[in-house]
């Protein structure tokens, strides 16, 4: 059984390890998670396995019916099992708790084909292409939207 709940300080080291294993140097470290927690409207959710170990997370900033997802990661050992979908459904549930109208944005690097395909499978659509929006790379970004 997977349990999705708000991130606590004790989750941060493992979440940073998941980030580094998936994204290398571009992955968030503990300080980046702490800094994101200070963003107005920010929320960070973690998925724990049956043993209580963190296996994935999603970070998003919410203002009423609008959420901007900035980070989604699932440990390799738990990918393709529905956990990413569960985390995104948790984002939708958070937004729906305050509004029936939901708009979710997700900016994805052009080389992250797996995430692009995953989000398209959930019903996200392309909205625009942004010229090099990321600090650590020269890649373009695709803004995807999900509306209900």
């Amino acid at each position: 059984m997977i349990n999705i709940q708000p991130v606590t300080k004790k989750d941060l080291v493992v979440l940073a390890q998941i980030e580094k294993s998936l994204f290398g140097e571009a992955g968030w470290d503990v300080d980046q998670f702490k800094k994101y927690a200070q963003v107005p409207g920010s929320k960070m959710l973690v998925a724990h396995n049956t043993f209580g170990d963190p296996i994935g997370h999603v970070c998003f900033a919410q203002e009423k019916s609008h959420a901007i997802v900035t980070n989604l990661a699932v440990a390799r050992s738990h990918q393709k099992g529905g956990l990413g979908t569960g985390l995104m459904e948790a984002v939708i549930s958070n937004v729906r708790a305050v509004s029936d109208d939901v708009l979710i944005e997700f900016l994805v690097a052009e080389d992250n084909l797996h995430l692009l395909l995953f989000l398209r499978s959930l019903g996200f659509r392309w909205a625009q292409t942004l010229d090099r929006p990321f600090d650590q790379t020269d890649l373009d970004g695709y803004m995807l939207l999900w509306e209900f």
Side-chain angles (χ1 to χ4, degrees):
M1 168 112 189
I2 303 298
N3 181 20
I4 297 175
Q5 60 192 35
V7 169
T8 64
K9 286 183 182 181
K10 69 179 185 170
D11 296 318
L12 295 181
V13 171
V14 176
L15 296 184
Q17 290 170 349
I18 291 171
E19 285 278 316
K20 295 300 180 186
S21 74
L22 295 172
F23 310 119
E25 289 303 311
W28 286 15
D29 59 25
V30 171
D31 288 337
Q32 287 169 296
F33 280 103
K34 288 179 180 178
K35 200 180 295 184
Y36 188 77
Q38 303 305 312
V39 172
S42 68
K43 297 183 180 186
M44 299 187 297
L45 302 176
V46 60
H48 292 108
N49 63 16
T50 54
F51 303 107
D53 302 319
I55 54 174
H57 58 274
V58 63
C59 302
F60 60 102
Q62 180 179 344
E63 185 176 318
K64 298 182 184 171
S65 65
H66 181 212
I68 301 172
V69 180
T70 54
N71 193 327
L72 173 68
V74 174
R76 284 198 205 298
S77 59
H78 288 81
Q79 291 181 0
K80 306 218 186 278
L83 182 56
T85 301
L87 287 164
M88 290 305 297
E89 286 173 350
V91 173
I92 293 166
S93 293
N94 269 267
V95 178
R96 277 206 177 134
V98 296
S99 176
D100 289 335
D101 299 319
V102 177
L103 172 64
I104 299 174
E105 295 181 33
F106 206 135
L107 179 61
V108 182
E110 66 181 323
D111 69 340
N112 197 339
L113 182 60
H114 293 300
L115 182 56
L116 289 166
L117 292 173
F118 168 70
L119 293 172
R120 293 283 298 161
S121 76
L122 295 179
F124 278 77
R125 64 178 175 75
W126 174 87
Q128 67 180 7
T129 302
L130 301 172
D131 184 35
R132 293 181 290 230
F134 306 103
D135 293 336
Q136 301 170 343
T137 179
D138 286 335
L139 296 172
D140 287 342
Y142 299 129
M143 179 62 71
L144 301 179
L145 300 178
W146 189 90
E147 295 178 87
F148 185 80

